[in-house]
Protein backbone atom coordinates (compact mmCIF):
# COMPACT_ATOMS: atom_id res chain seq x y z
CA UNK A 1 0.00 0.00 0.00
CA UNK A 2 1.62 3.26 -1.18
CA UNK A 3 1.37 6.16 1.31
CA UNK A 4 2.15 9.89 0.92
CA UNK A 5 5.24 11.29 2.67
CA UNK A 6 3.22 12.99 5.40
CA UNK A 7 2.12 9.56 6.66
CA UNK A 8 5.71 8.61 7.57
CA UNK A 9 5.85 7.56 11.21
CA UNK A 10 2.16 6.60 11.19
CA UNK A 11 2.40 3.70 8.72
CA UNK A 12 1.37 1.03 11.28
CA UNK A 13 -1.69 3.04 12.30
CA UNK A 14 -2.70 3.66 8.71
CA UNK A 15 -2.30 0.00 7.74
CA UNK A 16 -4.32 -1.08 10.78
CA UNK A 17 -7.12 1.31 9.90
CA UNK A 18 -7.13 0.04 6.32
CA UNK A 19 -7.37 -3.55 7.55
CA UNK A 20 -10.16 -2.62 9.97
CA UNK A 21 -12.01 -0.90 7.16
CA UNK A 22 -11.64 -3.95 4.95
CA UNK A 23 -12.91 -6.25 7.72
CA UNK A 24 -15.82 -3.90 8.45
CA UNK A 25 -16.96 -3.79 4.82
CA UNK A 26 -16.54 -7.57 4.48
CA UNK A 27 -18.73 -8.12 7.53
CA UNK A 28 -21.43 -5.78 6.22
CA UNK A 29 -21.32 -7.40 2.79
CA UNK A 30 -22.12 -10.73 4.41
CA UNK A 31 -25.17 -9.11 6.01
CA UNK A 32 -26.29 -7.94 2.57
CA UNK A 33 -25.86 -11.40 1.12
CA UNK A 34 -27.85 -12.94 3.97
CA UNK A 35 -30.70 -10.44 4.25
CA UNK A 36 -31.14 -9.59 0.56
CA UNK A 37 -31.33 -13.19 -0.68
CA UNK A 38 -34.67 -14.07 -2.29
CA UNK A 39 -35.53 -17.75 -2.69
CA UNK A 40 -35.99 -18.76 -6.31
CA UNK A 41 -39.27 -20.60 -5.70
CA UNK A 42 -40.91 -17.31 -4.69
CA UNK A 43 -40.65 -16.07 -8.27
CA UNK A 44 -42.65 -19.08 -9.40
CA UNK A 45 -45.07 -18.82 -6.50
CA UNK A 46 -45.97 -15.21 -7.25
CA UNK A 47 -45.61 -15.58 -11.04
CA UNK A 48 -42.94 -12.90 -11.21
CA UNK A 49 -40.88 -12.90 -14.40
CA UNK A 50 -37.21 -12.69 -13.44
CA UNK A 51 -35.41 -10.21 -15.65
CA UNK A 52 -38.85 -9.26 -17.02
CA UNK A 53 -38.67 -12.42 -19.16
CA UNK A 54 -40.37 -15.81 -19.15
CA UNK A 55 -38.46 -19.10 -19.19
CA UNK A 56 -38.34 -18.98 -23.00
CA UNK A 57 -36.67 -15.59 -22.94
CA UNK A 58 -39.71 -13.66 -24.15
CA UNK A 59 -39.88 -10.21 -22.59
CA UNK A 60 -42.79 -8.87 -20.58
CA UNK A 61 -44.68 -6.37 -22.75
CA UNK A 62 -43.85 -2.96 -21.27
CA UNK A 63 -44.66 -0.56 -24.09
CA UNK A 64 -45.24 0.08 -27.76
CA UNK A 65 -42.79 1.27 -30.42
CA UNK A 66 -42.65 2.02 -34.14
CA UNK A 67 -38.86 1.87 -34.36
CA UNK A 68 -37.87 -1.77 -34.60
CA UNK A 69 -38.98 -5.27 -33.77
CA UNK A 70 -37.44 -8.71 -33.48
CA UNK A 71 -39.05 -12.12 -33.94
CA UNK A 72 -37.70 -15.56 -33.02
CA UNK A 73 -38.93 -16.80 -36.40
CA UNK A 74 -39.50 -15.10 -39.73
CA UNK A 75 -43.04 -15.08 -41.10
CA UNK A 76 -43.92 -15.02 -44.79
CA UNK A 77 -47.62 -14.61 -45.65
CA UNK A 78 -48.48 -15.61 -42.11
CA UNK A 79 -46.45 -18.82 -42.27
CA UNK A 80 -43.43 -19.42 -40.03
CA UNK A 81 -40.14 -19.98 -41.85
CA UNK A 82 -38.18 -22.32 -39.62
CA UNK A 83 -34.63 -21.58 -38.53
CA UNK A 84 -34.81 -17.94 -39.53
CA UNK A 85 -35.09 -15.11 -37.01
CA UNK A 86 -36.29 -11.70 -38.13
CA UNK A 87 -35.21 -8.13 -37.38
CA UNK A 88 -37.05 -5.14 -38.83
CA UNK A 89 -36.09 -1.47 -38.71
CA UNK A 90 -39.20 0.73 -39.01
CA UNK A 91 -41.02 -2.25 -40.55
CA UNK A 92 -38.33 -3.07 -43.15
CA UNK A 93 -36.57 -6.44 -43.03
CA UNK A 94 -32.90 -5.93 -42.17
CA UNK A 95 -31.93 -8.20 -45.07
CA UNK A 96 -33.73 -5.89 -47.53
CA UNK A 97 -32.12 -2.80 -46.01
CA UNK A 98 -28.66 -4.29 -46.30
CA UNK A 99 -29.26 -5.49 -49.86
CA UNK A 100 -30.41 -1.97 -50.76
CA UNK A 101 -27.18 -0.13 -50.01
CA UNK A 102 -24.82 -3.05 -50.69
CA UNK A 103 -26.21 -3.53 -54.20
CA UNK A 104 -25.26 0.08 -54.97
CA UNK A 105 -21.85 -0.23 -53.28
CA UNK A 106 -22.73 2.40 -50.67
CA UNK A 107 -22.09 2.65 -46.96
CA UNK A 108 -25.28 2.14 -44.98
CA UNK A 109 -24.83 3.73 -41.55
CA UNK A 110 -26.14 7.20 -42.38
CA UNK A 111 -29.06 5.95 -44.48
CA UNK A 112 -30.23 3.52 -41.79
CA UNK A 113 -29.73 6.16 -39.07
CA UNK A 114 -32.04 8.50 -40.99
CA UNK A 115 -34.64 5.73 -41.24
CA UNK A 116 -34.55 4.94 -37.52
CA UNK A 117 -34.64 8.57 -36.42
CA UNK A 118 -37.33 9.87 -38.77
CA UNK A 119 -39.32 6.82 -39.84
CA UNK A 120 -38.77 7.09 -43.60
CA UNK A 121 -36.04 6.07 -46.01
CA UNK A 122 -34.30 9.24 -47.23
CA UNK A 123 -34.32 10.36 -50.84
CA UNK A 124 -30.93 10.89 -52.49
CA UNK A 125 -31.01 14.61 -51.71
CA UNK A 126 -32.21 14.05 -48.12
CA UNK A 127 -29.43 11.51 -47.55
CA UNK A 128 -26.81 13.89 -48.94
CA UNK A 129 -28.04 16.69 -46.68
CA UNK A 130 -28.17 14.42 -43.64
CA UNK A 131 -24.61 13.18 -44.19
CA UNK A 132 -23.41 16.76 -44.61
CA UNK A 133 -25.18 17.70 -41.38
CA UNK A 134 -23.49 14.90 -39.43
CA UNK A 135 -20.07 15.81 -40.85
CA UNK A 136 -20.58 19.48 -39.99
CA UNK A 137 -21.45 18.57 -36.38
CA UNK A 138 -18.36 16.40 -36.00
CA UNK A 139 -16.51 18.90 -33.82
CA UNK A 140 -15.88 19.32 -30.10
CA UNK A 141 -15.70 22.50 -27.99
CA UNK A 142 -12.40 24.37 -27.93
CA UNK A 143 -9.79 22.58 -25.77
CA UNK A 144 -12.30 19.81 -24.90
CA UNK A 145 -9.88 17.07 -25.96
CA UNK A 146 -7.07 18.56 -23.90
CA UNK A 147 -9.03 19.57 -20.80
CA UNK A 148 -11.55 16.72 -20.55
CA UNK A 149 -10.31 13.67 -22.43
CA UNK A 150 -6.51 13.90 -22.12
CA UNK A 151 -6.37 15.01 -18.48
CA UNK A 152 -8.16 11.95 -17.09
CA UNK A 153 -7.29 8.98 -19.33
CA UNK A 154 -8.80 5.64 -18.44
CA UNK A 155 -8.44 2.07 -19.67
CA UNK A 156 -12.23 1.89 -19.60
CA UNK A 157 -13.24 3.94 -22.61
CA UNK A 158 -16.94 3.51 -21.81
CA UNK A 159 -16.40 5.42 -18.57
CA UNK A 160 -14.49 8.09 -20.50
CA UNK A 161 -17.39 8.32 -22.96
CA UNK A 162 -19.95 8.74 -20.18
CA UNK A 163 -17.84 11.38 -18.41
CA UNK A 164 -17.32 13.29 -21.65
CA UNK A 165 -21.02 13.20 -22.54
CA UNK A 166 -22.00 14.59 -19.14
CA UNK A 167 -19.32 17.27 -19.47
CA UNK A 168 -20.68 18.33 -22.86
CA UNK A 169 -23.85 19.39 -21.04
CA UNK A 170 -21.80 22.18 -19.43
CA UNK A 171 -21.22 23.68 -22.90
CA UNK A 172 -24.92 23.59 -23.82
CA UNK A 173 -27.04 26.57 -22.76
CA UNK A 174 -30.17 24.53 -23.49
CA UNK A 175 -29.00 21.30 -21.86
CA UNK A 176 -32.25 20.82 -19.89
CA UNK A 177 -34.61 21.72 -22.74
CA UNK A 178 -36.46 18.48 -23.58
CA UNK A 179 -38.53 19.83 -26.46
CA UNK A 180 -38.52 17.47 -29.43
CA UNK A 181 -36.58 19.95 -31.57
CA UNK A 182 -33.85 20.49 -28.99
CA UNK A 183 -33.60 16.81 -28.01
CA UNK A 184 -33.18 15.92 -31.69
CA UNK A 185 -30.56 18.64 -32.14
CA UNK A 186 -28.62 17.26 -29.18
CA UNK A 187 -28.98 13.70 -30.47
CA UNK A 188 -27.59 14.53 -33.89
CA UNK A 189 -24.61 16.19 -32.25
CA UNK A 190 -23.94 13.17 -30.04
CA UNK A 191 -24.24 10.73 -32.96
CA UNK A 192 -21.62 12.83 -34.76
CA UNK A 193 -19.09 13.18 -31.92
CA UNK A 194 -19.30 9.71 -30.36
CA UNK A 195 -16.57 8.33 -32.69
CA UNK A 196 -14.30 11.29 -31.92
CA UNK A 197 -14.64 10.97 -28.15
CA UNK A 198 -14.12 7.20 -28.15
CA UNK A 199 -11.06 7.24 -30.40
CA UNK A 200 -9.45 10.25 -28.69
CA UNK A 201 -10.08 8.63 -25.29
CA UNK A 202 -8.34 5.47 -26.48
CA UNK A 203 -5.33 7.38 -27.84
CA UNK A 204 -5.02 9.29 -24.54
CA UNK A 205 -5.06 6.03 -22.58
CA UNK A 206 -2.65 4.38 -25.00
CA UNK A 207 -0.22 7.29 -24.63
CA UNK A 208 -0.36 8.12 -20.93
CA UNK A 209 -0.92 4.61 -19.55
CA UNK A 210 0.81 2.45 -22.15
CA UNK A 211 3.60 4.81 -23.22
CA UNK A 212 2.69 4.69 -26.90
CA UNK A 213 2.48 7.53 -29.41
CA UNK A 214 -0.71 9.59 -29.45
CA UNK A 215 -2.55 10.61 -32.62
CA UNK A 216 -5.20 13.32 -32.85
CA UNK A 217 -6.44 13.12 -36.43
CA UNK A 218 -9.11 15.56 -37.55
CA UNK A 219 -11.97 13.65 -39.27
CA UNK A 220 -12.61 16.14 -42.04
CA UNK A 221 -14.09 15.35 -45.44
CA UNK A 222 -17.10 13.56 -46.85
CA UNK A 223 -16.57 10.36 -44.86
CA UNK A 224 -18.88 7.67 -43.58
CA UNK A 225 -18.85 6.97 -39.84
CA UNK A 226 -16.91 3.74 -40.42
CA UNK A 227 -14.27 5.62 -42.41
CA UNK A 228 -14.03 8.25 -39.67
CA UNK A 229 -13.31 5.55 -37.06
CA UNK A 230 -10.59 3.87 -39.10
CA UNK A 231 -8.99 7.15 -40.19
CA UNK A 232 -8.86 8.54 -36.65
CA UNK A 233 -7.57 5.32 -35.10
CA UNK A 234 -4.72 4.46 -37.43
CA UNK A 235 -1.41 6.34 -37.43
CA UNK A 236 -1.28 6.44 -41.24
CA UNK A 237 -5.05 7.13 -41.55
CA UNK A 238 -5.27 4.46 -44.28
CA UNK A 239 -7.84 1.68 -44.74
CA UNK A 240 -9.19 -0.53 -47.49
CA UNK A 241 -12.68 -0.42 -48.95
CA UNK A 242 -13.40 -3.91 -47.59
CA UNK A 243 -12.34 -2.89 -44.09
CA UNK A 244 -14.60 0.17 -44.12
CA UNK A 245 -17.53 -1.79 -45.57
CA UNK A 246 -17.19 -4.52 -42.94
CA UNK A 247 -17.07 -2.00 -40.08
CA UNK A 248 -20.00 -0.11 -41.62
CA UNK A 249 -22.00 -3.36 -41.66
CA UNK A 250 -21.15 -3.97 -38.01
CA UNK A 251 -22.44 -0.49 -37.14
CA UNK A 252 -25.68 -1.02 -39.09
CA UNK A 253 -26.38 -4.37 -37.46
CA UNK A 254 -25.64 -3.07 -33.94
CA UNK A 255 -27.57 0.17 -34.40
CA UNK A 256 -30.89 -0.97 -33.00
CA UNK A 257 -32.45 -4.15 -31.65
CA UNK A 258 -36.00 -3.76 -30.40
CA UNK A 259 -37.09 -1.58 -27.51
CA UNK A 260 -36.56 -4.22 -24.84
CA UNK A 261 -32.77 -4.61 -24.79
CA UNK A 262 -31.26 -3.41 -21.52
CA UNK A 263 -29.63 -0.17 -22.64
CA UNK A 264 -32.57 0.93 -24.80
CA UNK A 265 -35.02 0.17 -21.99
CA UNK A 266 -32.72 2.20 -19.72
CA UNK A 267 -32.95 5.05 -22.23
CA UNK A 268 -36.74 4.98 -22.15
CA UNK A 269 -36.94 4.65 -18.36
CA UNK A 270 -34.61 7.60 -17.77
CA UNK A 271 -36.26 9.68 -20.51
CA UNK A 272 -39.66 9.14 -18.89
CA UNK A 273 -38.42 10.94 -15.77
CA UNK A 274 -38.09 14.15 -17.79
CA UNK A 275 -34.32 14.41 -17.52
CA UNK A 276 -31.95 15.80 -20.16
CA UNK A 277 -30.40 14.07 -23.17
CA UNK A 278 -26.87 13.98 -21.74
CA UNK A 279 -27.94 12.25 -18.52
CA UNK A 280 -30.06 9.81 -20.49
CA UNK A 281 -27.26 8.75 -22.84
CA UNK A 282 -24.78 8.49 -19.95
CA UNK A 283 -27.19 6.08 -18.24
CA UNK A 284 -27.52 4.04 -21.44
CA UNK A 285 -23.72 3.85 -21.69
CA UNK A 286 -23.57 2.51 -18.16
CA UNK A 287 -25.99 -0.23 -19.11
CA UNK A 288 -24.21 -1.16 -22.34
CA UNK A 289 -20.88 -1.33 -20.54
CA UNK A 290 -21.95 -4.46 -18.66
CA UNK A 291 -20.41 -7.77 -19.79
CA UNK A 292 -23.89 -9.30 -20.12
CA UNK A 293 -24.77 -6.67 -22.72
CA UNK A 294 -22.14 -4.79 -24.74
CA UNK A 295 -19.06 -6.62 -23.51
CA UNK A 296 -20.04 -10.06 -24.77
CA UNK A 297 -17.79 -10.03 -27.85
CA UNK A 298 -14.68 -9.58 -25.71
CA UNK A 299 -15.59 -12.79 -23.90
CA UNK A 300 -15.85 -14.57 -27.25
CA UNK A 301 -12.39 -13.48 -28.38
CA UNK A 302 -10.85 -14.47 -25.04
CA UNK A 303 -12.58 -17.86 -25.16
CA UNK A 304 -11.35 -18.47 -28.72
CA UNK A 305 -7.81 -17.46 -27.75
CA UNK A 306 -7.92 -19.90 -24.84
CA UNK A 307 -9.25 -22.59 -27.17
CA UNK A 308 -6.37 -22.15 -29.62
CA UNK A 309 -3.89 -22.45 -26.75
CA UNK A 310 -5.34 -25.80 -25.69
CA UNK A 311 -6.04 -27.36 -29.09
CA UNK A 312 -3.35 -29.48 -30.73
CA UNK A 313 -1.65 -28.00 -33.77
CA UNK A 314 -3.54 -30.24 -36.18
CA UNK A 315 -6.83 -30.19 -34.32
CA UNK A 316 -9.92 -32.08 -35.40
CA UNK A 317 -13.63 -31.53 -34.92
CA UNK A 318 -13.49 -33.97 -32.03
CA UNK A 319 -10.83 -31.82 -30.32
CA UNK A 320 -13.05 -28.74 -30.66
CA UNK A 321 -16.05 -30.70 -29.40
CA UNK A 322 -14.10 -31.88 -26.35
CA UNK A 323 -12.99 -28.32 -25.54
CA UNK A 324 -16.55 -26.96 -25.80
CA UNK A 325 -17.80 -29.80 -23.59
CA UNK A 326 -15.15 -28.91 -21.02
CA UNK A 327 -16.29 -25.27 -21.15
CA UNK A 328 -19.90 -26.32 -20.47
CA UNK A 329 -18.71 -28.55 -17.62
CA UNK A 330 -16.89 -25.55 -16.07
CA UNK A 331 -13.56 -27.27 -16.64
CA UNK A 332 -12.15 -24.84 -19.22
CA UNK A 333 -11.75 -21.12 -19.94
CA UNK A 334 -13.37 -19.04 -17.16
CA UNK A 335 -15.16 -21.98 -15.48
CA UNK A 336 -18.54 -20.25 -15.79
CA UNK A 337 -20.05 -23.01 -17.95
CA UNK A 338 -20.91 -20.70 -20.86
CA UNK A 339 -20.00 -20.92 -24.53
CA UNK A 340 -19.89 -17.22 -25.32
CA UNK A 341 -21.49 -15.93 -28.50
CA UNK A 342 -24.04 -18.75 -28.55
CA UNK A 343 -27.74 -18.20 -27.98
CA UNK A 344 -29.96 -15.16 -27.70
CA UNK A 345 -32.84 -14.10 -25.48
CA UNK A 346 -35.24 -13.90 -28.43
CA UNK A 347 -33.80 -15.69 -31.45
CA UNK A 348 -33.73 -19.46 -31.44
CA UNK A 349 -32.26 -21.13 -34.52
CA UNK A 350 -30.93 -18.04 -36.26
CA UNK A 351 -29.81 -14.50 -35.43
CA UNK A 352 -30.34 -12.68 -38.76
CA UNK A 353 -27.61 -10.19 -37.90
CA UNK A 354 -25.06 -12.99 -37.50
CA UNK A 355 -26.11 -14.53 -40.82
CA UNK A 356 -25.59 -11.23 -42.64
CA UNK A 357 -22.37 -10.38 -40.85
CA UNK A 358 -20.79 -13.76 -41.46
CA UNK A 359 -20.60 -13.02 -45.19
CA UNK A 360 -18.51 -9.92 -44.50
CA UNK A 361 -16.35 -11.74 -41.97
CA UNK A 362 -15.49 -14.25 -44.70
CA UNK A 363 -14.59 -11.53 -47.21
CA UNK A 364 -12.42 -9.64 -44.74
CA UNK A 365 -10.65 -12.83 -43.62
CA UNK A 366 -9.89 -13.62 -47.26
CA UNK A 367 -8.40 -10.15 -47.74
CA UNK A 368 -6.29 -10.48 -44.58
CA UNK A 369 -4.63 -13.73 -45.68
CA UNK A 370 -4.26 -17.40 -44.79
CA UNK A 371 -3.94 -16.99 -41.01
CA UNK A 372 -7.22 -15.06 -40.80
CA UNK A 373 -8.91 -17.52 -43.16
CA UNK A 374 -7.82 -20.44 -40.98
CA UNK A 375 -9.18 -18.71 -37.88
CA UNK A 376 -12.46 -18.06 -39.70
CA UNK A 377 -12.66 -21.80 -40.36
CA UNK A 378 -12.27 -22.43 -36.62
CA UNK A 379 -15.02 -19.94 -35.83
CA UNK A 380 -17.28 -21.62 -38.39
CA UNK A 381 -16.56 -25.01 -36.86
CA UNK A 382 -17.44 -23.78 -33.38
CA UNK A 383 -20.59 -22.14 -34.75
CA UNK A 384 -21.68 -25.52 -36.14
CA UNK A 385 -20.63 -27.76 -33.24
CA UNK A 386 -21.54 -25.63 -30.20
CA UNK A 387 -25.36 -25.91 -30.59
CA UNK A 388 -25.01 -29.71 -30.71
CA UNK A 389 -22.87 -29.78 -27.57
CA UNK A 390 -25.24 -27.45 -25.72
CA UNK A 391 -28.28 -29.53 -26.72
CA UNK A 392 -26.60 -32.66 -25.35
CA UNK A 393 -25.56 -31.10 -22.06
CA UNK A 394 -28.30 -28.62 -21.17
CA UNK A 395 -32.08 -28.53 -20.92
CA UNK A 396 -33.06 -25.86 -23.44
CA UNK A 397 -36.47 -24.47 -24.33
CA UNK A 398 -35.60 -23.24 -27.80
CA UNK A 399 -32.91 -23.58 -30.43
CA UNK A 400 -29.40 -22.20 -29.97
CA UNK A 401 -27.33 -20.50 -32.64
CA UNK A 402 -24.47 -18.03 -32.95
CA UNK A 403 -25.37 -14.41 -32.24
CA UNK A 404 -23.68 -11.37 -33.76
CA UNK A 405 -21.26 -11.07 -30.83
CA UNK A 406 -19.74 -14.39 -31.87
CA UNK A 407 -18.26 -12.82 -35.00
CA UNK A 408 -17.89 -9.13 -34.12
CA UNK A 409 -14.86 -9.54 -31.85
CA UNK A 410 -13.05 -11.53 -34.56
CA UNK A 411 -13.81 -8.78 -37.08
CA UNK A 412 -12.57 -6.05 -34.77
CA UNK A 413 -9.38 -8.03 -34.22
CA UNK A 414 -8.82 -8.33 -37.98
CA UNK A 415 -9.41 -4.57 -38.28
CA UNK A 416 -6.73 -3.93 -35.68
CA UNK A 417 -9.16 -2.43 -33.19
CA UNK A 418 -7.93 -2.75 -29.59
CA UNK A 419 -10.21 -4.58 -27.17
CA UNK A 420 -10.66 -1.34 -25.21
CA UNK A 421 -12.73 -0.11 -28.17
CA UNK A 422 -14.93 -3.16 -28.74
CA UNK A 423 -17.82 -1.99 -26.55
CA UNK A 424 -17.41 1.71 -27.51
CA UNK A 425 -17.83 0.70 -31.17
CA UNK A 426 -21.13 -0.89 -30.11
CA UNK A 427 -22.07 2.41 -28.44
CA UNK A 428 -21.14 4.42 -31.55
CA UNK A 429 -23.73 2.36 -33.41
CA UNK A 430 -26.39 2.07 -30.69
CA UNK A 431 -26.50 5.82 -29.95
CA UNK A 432 -28.74 6.02 -33.03
CA UNK A 433 -31.24 3.54 -31.60
CA UNK A 434 -31.13 5.19 -28.18
CA UNK A 435 -31.82 8.57 -29.75
CA UNK A 436 -34.74 7.26 -31.78
CA UNK A 437 -36.32 5.66 -28.70
CA UNK A 438 -35.73 8.79 -26.61
CA UNK A 439 -37.53 10.94 -29.18
CA UNK A 440 -40.41 8.44 -29.42
CA UNK A 441 -40.72 8.37 -25.62
CA UNK A 442 -40.81 12.18 -25.48
CA UNK A 443 -43.44 12.34 -28.24
CA UNK A 444 -45.82 9.80 -26.74
CA UNK A 445 -45.45 9.26 -23.02
CA UNK A 446 -46.38 11.59 -20.19
CA UNK A 447 -46.05 9.06 -17.38
CA UNK A 448 -42.84 8.06 -15.65
CA UNK A 449 -42.04 4.35 -16.07
CA UNK A 450 -42.53 2.77 -12.67
CA UNK A 451 -42.87 -1.04 -12.50
CA UNK A 452 -43.86 -2.78 -9.25
CA UNK A 453 -41.83 -5.01 -6.96
CA UNK A 454 -43.49 -7.34 -4.46
CA UNK A 455 -41.98 -7.32 -0.99
CA UNK A 456 -41.52 -10.83 0.43
CA UNK A 457 -40.14 -9.85 3.85
CA UNK A 458 -42.18 -10.78 6.93
CA UNK A 459 -43.35 -7.86 9.06
CA UNK A 460 -41.43 -7.46 12.31
CA UNK A 461 -41.66 -5.10 15.28
CA UNK A 462 -39.18 -2.32 15.98
CA UNK A 463 -36.75 -3.12 18.83
CA UNK A 464 -35.44 -0.36 21.05
CA UNK A 465 -31.71 0.36 20.69
CA UNK A 466 -30.95 -0.64 24.31
CA UNK A 467 -32.68 -4.00 23.86
CA UNK A 468 -30.95 -5.18 20.68
Amino acid sequence: MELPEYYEGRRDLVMTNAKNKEDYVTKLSLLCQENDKIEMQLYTKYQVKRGLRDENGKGVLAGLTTISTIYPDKKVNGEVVSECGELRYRGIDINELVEGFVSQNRYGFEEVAYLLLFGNLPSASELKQFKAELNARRTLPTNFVRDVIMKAPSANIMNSLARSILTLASYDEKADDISIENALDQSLMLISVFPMIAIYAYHAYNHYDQGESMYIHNPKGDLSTAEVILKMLRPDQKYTKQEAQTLDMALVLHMEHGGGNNSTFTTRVVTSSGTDTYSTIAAALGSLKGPKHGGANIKVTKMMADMKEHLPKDYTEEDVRNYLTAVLNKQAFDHKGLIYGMGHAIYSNNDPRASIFKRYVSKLAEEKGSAASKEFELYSMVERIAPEVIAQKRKIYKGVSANIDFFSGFVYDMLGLPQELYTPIFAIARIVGWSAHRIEELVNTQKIIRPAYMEVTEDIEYVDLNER
Side-chain angles (χ1 to χ4, degrees):
M1 179 178 178
E2 294 294 328
L3 298 174
E5 291 182 4
Y6 53 81
Y7 275 116
E8 279 304 320
R10 296 190 292 169
R11 180 171 295 273
D12 291 341
L13 176 62
V14 171
M15 296 299 289
T16 300
N17 287 340
K19 188 67 171 66
N20 288 340
K21 178 182 178 181
E22 181 180 324
D23 291 343
Y24 178 69
V25 174
T26 299
K27 180 180 178 181
L28 291 182
S29 71
L30 293 174
L31 277 177
C32 292
Q33 294 177 55
E34 178 184 349
N35 294 327
D36 290 348
K37 180 69 175 177
I38 298 174
E39 298 300 327
M40 297 300 296
Q41 63 266 27
L42 293 179
Y43 289 94
T44 303
K45 176 181 179 180
Y46 295 113
Q47 298 183 329
V48 174
K49 309 297 185 184
R50 288 194 306 126
L52 297 181
R53 292 184 289 167
D54 62 24
E55 63 181 14
N56 294 317
K58 185 176 181 180
V60 174
L61 194 61
L64 303 174
T65 184
T66 64
I67 296 167
S68 77
T69 190
I70 52 181
Y71 297 104
D73 300 292
K74 183 180 178 66
K75 292 184 178 180
V76 178
N77 298 323
E79 298 293 327
V80 174
V81 180
S82 61
E83 299 186 359
C84 187
E86 186 171 19
L87 168 63
R88 289 181 174 270
Y89 287 175
R90 292 286 189 173
I92 303 176
D93 191 313
I94 188 66
N95 289 281
E96 295 180 20
L97 272 175
V98 167
E99 177 60 26
F101 61 80
V102 168
S103 64
Q104 296 183 1
N105 198 29
R106 293 185 288 106
Y107 296 110
F109 179 86
E110 290 73 22
E111 178 179 350
V112 179
Y114 187 100
L115 170 68
L116 288 174
L117 288 168
F118 309 119
N120 299 315
L121 286 169
S123 65
S125 61
E126 288 171 336
L127 179 58
K128 182 179 180 180
Q129 182 179 7
F130 183 63
K131 291 171 66 175
E133 188 68 30
L134 291 181
N135 280 321
R137 291 168 178 266
R138 198 164 277 134
T139 181
L140 292 167
T142 303
N143 297 328
F144 188 90
V145 176
R146 183 195 68 189
D147 295 342
V148 178
I149 298 176
M150 292 174 61
K151 285 193 175 179
S154 169
N156 196 301
I157 310 304
M158 290 294 283
N159 283 349
S160 295
L161 260 173
R163 183 182 69 246
S164 295
I165 296 308
L166 288 173
T167 305
L168 280 174
S170 302
Y171 295 81
D172 187 348
E173 294 180 356
K174 299 169 66 178
D176 292 314
D177 180 353
I178 61 171
S179 65
I180 303 302
E181 180 180 359
N182 192 60
L184 178 59
D185 185 60
Q186 293 168 332
S187 297
L188 293 175
M189 180 272 291
L190 291 178
I191 291 170
S192 298
V193 302
F194 251 51
M196 299 178 68
I197 295 174
I199 302 300
Y200 288 158
Y202 170 73
H203 281 313
Y205 154 74
N206 199 37
H207 174 64
Y208 290 110
D209 286 32
Q210 303 299 305
E212 301 294 336
S213 298
M214 182 163 59
Y215 304 92
I216 305 296
H217 297 316
N218 201 341
K220 293 298 183 182
D222 184 21
L223 302 174
S224 71
T225 298
E227 290 176 301
V228 165
I229 293 170
L230 294 174
K231 181 177 181 179
M232 294 180 63
L233 180 64
R234 296 178 172 178
D236 62 4
Q237 305 184 58
K238 295 180 179 179
Y239 52 88
T240 67
K241 179 76 171 181
Q242 185 63 59
E243 287 179 322
Q245 285 181 326
T246 304
L247 182 55
D248 177 72
M249 188 60 65
L251 296 174
V252 168
L253 296 175
H254 281 95
M255 194 179 294
E256 165 60 6
H257 204 230
N261 68 80
N262 195 277
S263 58
T264 299
F265 187 59
T266 297
T267 299
R268 299 197 76 128
V269 169
V270 177
T271 295
S272 75
S273 75
T275 195
D276 65 280
T277 299
Y278 302 96
S279 297
T280 301
I281 299 305
L285 283 165
S287 167
L288 187 67
K289 176 191 171 189
K292 294 180 181 179
H293 193 0
N297 52 20
I298 296 177
K299 278 289 192 179
V300 175
T301 56
K302 289 182 177 179
M303 179 187 73
M304 295 298 289
D306 182 77
M307 180 187 300
K308 287 186 290 183
E309 286 183 10
H310 290 86
L311 289 177
K313 183 178 180 180
D314 298 318
Y315 61 83
T316 65
E317 286 194 12
E318 191 61 27
D319 294 321
V320 173
R321 188 181 298 274
N322 290 338
Y323 176 86
L324 294 176
T325 300
V327 169
L328 282 182
N329 291 335
K330 301 183 179 181
Q331 297 169 341
F333 187 42
D334 62 359
H335 305 287
K336 296 290 181 65
L338 298 173
I339 299 178
Y340 294 96
M342 290 292 148
H344 189 269
I346 302 298
Y347 302 122
S348 52
N349 294 314
N350 176 267
D351 181 341
R353 302 169 302 168
S355 298
I356 294 171
F357 201 38
K358 185 178 180 180
R359 300 197 294 268
Y360 287 83
V361 179
S362 175
K363 292 178 182 178
L364 186 61
E366 183 178 347
E367 179 180 273
K368 292 296 180 181
S370 59
S373 294
K374 184 177 180 180
E375 185 153 1
F376 176 68
E377 290 175 3
L378 177 59
Y379 269 79
S380 297
M381 188 183 295
V382 172
E383 178 192 20
R384 176 167 48 80
I385 295 174
E388 299 173 6
V389 174
I390 293 171
Q392 291 170 358
K393 290 289 181 178
R394 297 284 167 82
K395 181 179 180 180
I396 55 177
Y397 299 94
K398 58 186 179 65
V400 175
S401 63
N403 56 51
I404 192 170
D405 292 319
F406 182 71
F407 291 109
S408 62
F410 176 41
V411 165
Y412 298 159
D413 183 55
M414 285 194 289
L415 290 174
L417 298 177
Q419 285 193 1
E420 290 87 354
L421 282 175
Y422 283 16
T423 309
I425 293 294
F426 194 160
I428 289 169
R430 190 55 65 86
I431 175 66
V432 176
W434 294 336
S435 298
H437 280 278
R438 172 166 169 77
I439 298 300
E440 187 179 60
E441 187 71 27
L442 289 172
V443 167
N444 291 283
T445 306
Q446 301 301 320
K447 286 190 175 182
I448 188 172
I449 295 174
R450 190 186 185 282
Y453 274 71
M454 174 182 288
E455 188 199 19
V456 291
T457 304
E458 294 183 3
D459 292 343
I460 59 176
E461 298 294 328
Y462 176 80
V463 179
D464 188 82
L465 180 62
N466 295 324
E467 297 176 5
R468 297 173 202 167

